[in-house]
Amino acid sequence: MNARRRQDLSDNVATKARILDAAEHLFADRGFDATSLRTITTEANVNLAAVNYHFGTKAGLLEEVFKRRVEPLNEERLVRLSKLQEESGADAPSVEAILTTFIEPALRVSRDPAHGGMVFMRLLGRSYAEPNEQIRRFMPELYRDIEIQYGEALGAAVPHLAVEDLYWRMHFVVGTIAYTMAGTDALQLLASCPYCDPDDVEGITERLVTFLSAGMKA
Amino acid sequence: MNARRRQDLSDNVATKARILDAAEHLFADRGFDATSLRTITTEANVNLAAVNYHFGTKAGLLEEVFKRRVEPLNEERLVRLSKLQEESGADAPSVEAILTTFIEPALRVSRDPAHGGMVFMRLLGRSYAEPNEQIRRFMPELYRDIEIQYGEALGAAVPHLAVEDLYWRMHFVVGTIAYTMAGTDALQLLASCPYCDPDDVEGITERLVTFLSAGMKA
DNA sequence: GTCTATAGTCAGATAGAC
DNA sequence: GTCTATCTGACTATAGAC
């Protein structure tokens, strides 16, 4: 009996996870609208009706795909930011150090296939610019604490900046990171760079921090 | 007879233009997949079959929507860049001056409703991150000359930079501009900024140039 | 919790009259 | 060049057996 229940539970979890994995991958590759439930359930090796059973609607599935990755990611960012602020004592942490606590957790995720890896990062990057109603509704919620905490930290790091300048620059920072995550080959706009390796995540991170810190302090 | 022919021609042009206008607006608001030909033709006050008659397919319409705006925009950019280089003579133009020739034409377009205005800019910004096959195919073509000319100009302006660093920074620049154009309220991620006015296009341009130039020269 | 079968809707595209 | 009418196919979602 217990074995049976465990089996049921494990199947249940595995089914949900398989759907989430397939959806994540397909949404990242083709976009939300262009991905049908049929394609998702086929790739996940589950029945077509399973999505509606487990997630209610296709939009519900999309939301779960994001929540599963973004919540732990942002928690880690806030923990690192707190630690950094404690270590700095009375001094405000540097812009570089603050941005590093924001970017490095994303870097870690992007290298860990078990947490979505580059696939989810691509999806996340694209989502910042998407008109999809569902995404526009729940994403700001997922980022509320991030905005507040990083706004305060960066404000202390560049106190000479007017408030509106600070916010615009934070906006630019987020945009740059989002587009970089969305895939360096997103539009192959810079297709001709023979030296650029999109898989060199550490190198990109370093370049991002350098570039963004300079802009932030300008 | 002549009057009749002129009328036909004018109807033809007006029909195509009305379809393009409606499609541009609806694609920008809802995205490509989420916009049906029925919605477009209804808003344009033309018959459903007109899209297929004039543009072949829905994808063909999308391509025309982009071409109509991007080609003149990029031509103006290249003219300004050339002029700037002539004026500078043997000296390389500054990063700020180069970026200004890139951003200002977009600014001008965004203020001119007759050329698409903010609506098209939003669509264009989003398109950089879109997985749509059609867009990924024709956009790099539209930007080939831009990439070459600006790559050379910026390379001369920051000669200390390694080639791969230059390309990455160009990528960051394009990403930031695209994201900013995609709509400052794209995800309302920075919703809480009480001072930020998304309609203050000159102010945003100035801030963009400052931010990006600092990053470029870091 | 999983499956089959299907309802109900809407999509892009075209044939053929005018 | 424009229109009506319609084809064909795909989609999400659900009811109900197991």
Side-chain angles (χ1 to χ4, degrees):
Chain A
M1 258 316 191
N2 265 348
R4 182 63 217 272
R5 271 201 216 109
R6 267 200 304 277
Q7 186 55 48
D8 280 350
L9 183 65
S10 131
D11 278 357
N12 175 7
V13 169
T15 296
K16 283 189 80 165
R18 280 211 308 281
I19 293 172
L20 286 169
D21 288 342
E24 180 175 70
H25 157 239
L26 290 164
F27 288 158
D29 274 7
R30 320 182 178 184
F32 179 68
D33 288 328
T35 305
S36 72
L37 292 183
R38 281 173 171 79
T39 311
I40 294 170
T41 51
T42 300
E43 175 156 323
N45 255 309
V46 301
N47 188 270
L48 172 60
V51 168
N52 293 94
Y53 178 79
H54 286 287
F55 302 97
T57 65
K58 189 185 176 185
L61 169 59
L62 177 68
E63 186 161 345
E64 287 300 311
V65 165
F66 274 93
K67 273 198 177 156
R68 175 172 72 147
R69 307 293 189 199
V70 171
E71 280 180 349
L73 174 62
N74 281 350
E75 266 171 44
E76 185 182 341
R77 283 169 166 161
L78 291 176
V79 167
R80 289 215 195 180
L81 181 62
S82 283
K83 267 192 201 153
L84 177 68
Q85 288 171 324
E86 278 170 36
E87 285 164 15
S88 309
D91 302 334
S94 72
V95 172
E96 281 85 351
I98 295 168
L99 289 182
T100 300
T101 70
F102 187 80
I103 296 173
E104 265 193 4
L107 168 68
R108 211 180 47 71
V109 167
S110 78
R111 278 188 311 202
D112 183 358
H115 291 91
M118 289 294 284
V119 172
F120 178 69
M121 283 297 120
R122 238 184 321 133
L123 175 58
L124 184 58
R126 254 197 310 104
S127 74
Y128 286 80
E130 248 194 314
N132 181 279
E133 224 179 78
Q134 199 74 189
I135 295 182
R136 293 171 58 92
R137 194 178 49 69
F138 65 73
M139 285 291 281
E141 288 172 34
L142 289 176
Y143 276 86
R144 229 192 52 246
D145 290 346
I146 288 282
E147 182 186 345
I148 296 170
Q149 297 302 322
Y150 278 87
E152 281 180 20
L154 287 170
V158 281
H160 64 278
L161 223 55
V163 184
E164 62 264 41
D165 287 319
L166 173 66
Y167 270 90
W168 277 116
R169 290 186 187 188
M170 280 176 60
H171 190 83
F172 298 155
V173 167
V174 170
T176 308
I177 296 172
Y179 266 85
T180 304
M181 288 195 315
T184 52
D185 61 350
L187 265 183
Q188 297 164 322
L189 212 65
L190 305 179
S192 72
C193 178
Y195 306 103
C196 299
D197 176 10
D199 293 327
D200 172 22
V201 195
E202 284 89 352
I204 297 172
T205 304
E206 233 183 86
R207 292 187 174 99
L208 264 176
V209 172
T210 304
F211 183 88
L212 296 174
S213 300
M216 205 62 174
K217 293 189 285 189
Chain B
M1 252 322 188
N2 265 349
R4 180 63 217 269
R5 274 204 213 104
R6 266 199 304 279
Q7 186 56 47
D8 279 352
L9 183 64
S10 131
D11 277 358
N12 176 7
V13 169
T15 297
K16 283 189 80 166
R18 281 211 307 282
I19 293 172
L20 286 168
D21 288 343
E24 179 175 70
H25 157 239
L26 289 164
F27 288 157
D29 274 8
R30 319 181 180 186
F32 179 68
D33 288 329
T35 306
S36 73
L37 292 184
R38 282 171 173 82
T39 310
I40 294 170
T41 51
T42 300
E43 175 156 322
N45 256 310
V46 302
N47 187 270
L48 171 61
V51 168
N52 294 93
Y53 178 80
H54 285 286
F55 302 98
T57 63
K58 189 185 176 186
L61 168 61
L62 178 67
E63 186 161 345
E64 286 300 312
V65 165
F66 275 94
K67 271 197 178 156
R68 176 172 71 147
R69 306 295 188 198
V70 171
E71 279 179 351
L73 173 61
N74 281 349
E75 266 171 42
E76 187 184 341
R77 283 170 165 160
L78 291 176
V79 167
R80 290 215 193 180
L81 181 62
S82 283
K83 266 191 201 153
L84 177 68
Q85 287 170 325
E86 277 170 34
E87 286 164 16
S88 309
D91 302 334
S94 71
V95 172
E96 281 86 351
I98 294 169
L99 289 182
T100 301
T101 71
F102 186 80
I103 296 174
E104 265 193 5
L107 168 67
R108 213 180 46 71
V109 166
S110 77
R111 280 188 309 203
D112 183 357
H115 291 90
M118 289 293 285
V119 172
F120 178 68
M121 283 298 121
R122 237 183 322 131
L123 176 57
L124 184 58
R126 252 195 314 100
S127 75
Y128 286 80
E130 249 193 315
N132 181 279
E133 225 179 76
Q134 199 75 190
I135 296 182
R136 292 170 60 91
R137 194 178 49 69
F138 66 72
M139 285 292 282
E141 287 172 35
L142 289 176
Y143 276 86
R144 227 192 52 247
D145 290 346
I146 290 281
E147 182 186 344
I148 296 170
Q149 297 301 322
Y150 279 87
E152 281 180 20
L154 286 171
V158 281
H160 64 279
L161 223 56
V163 185
E164 62 263 43
D165 286 319
L166 174 67
Y167 270 89
W168 277 115
R169 288 184 188 190
M170 282 177 59
H171 190 82
F172 297 157
V173 166
V174 169
T176 308
I177 296 171
Y179 180 76
T180 304
M181 289 194 314
T184 51
D185 60 352
L187 264 182
Q188 296 162 322
L189 211 65
L190 305 178
S192 72
C193 178
Y195 306 102
C196 299
D197 175 10
D199 294 327
D200 172 22
V201 195
E202 285 89 351
I204 297 172
T205 303
E206 232 183 271
R207 291 187 175 99
L208 264 176
V209 172
T210 304
F211 183 88
L212 296 175
S213 300
M216 206 59 173
K217 294 188 284 190

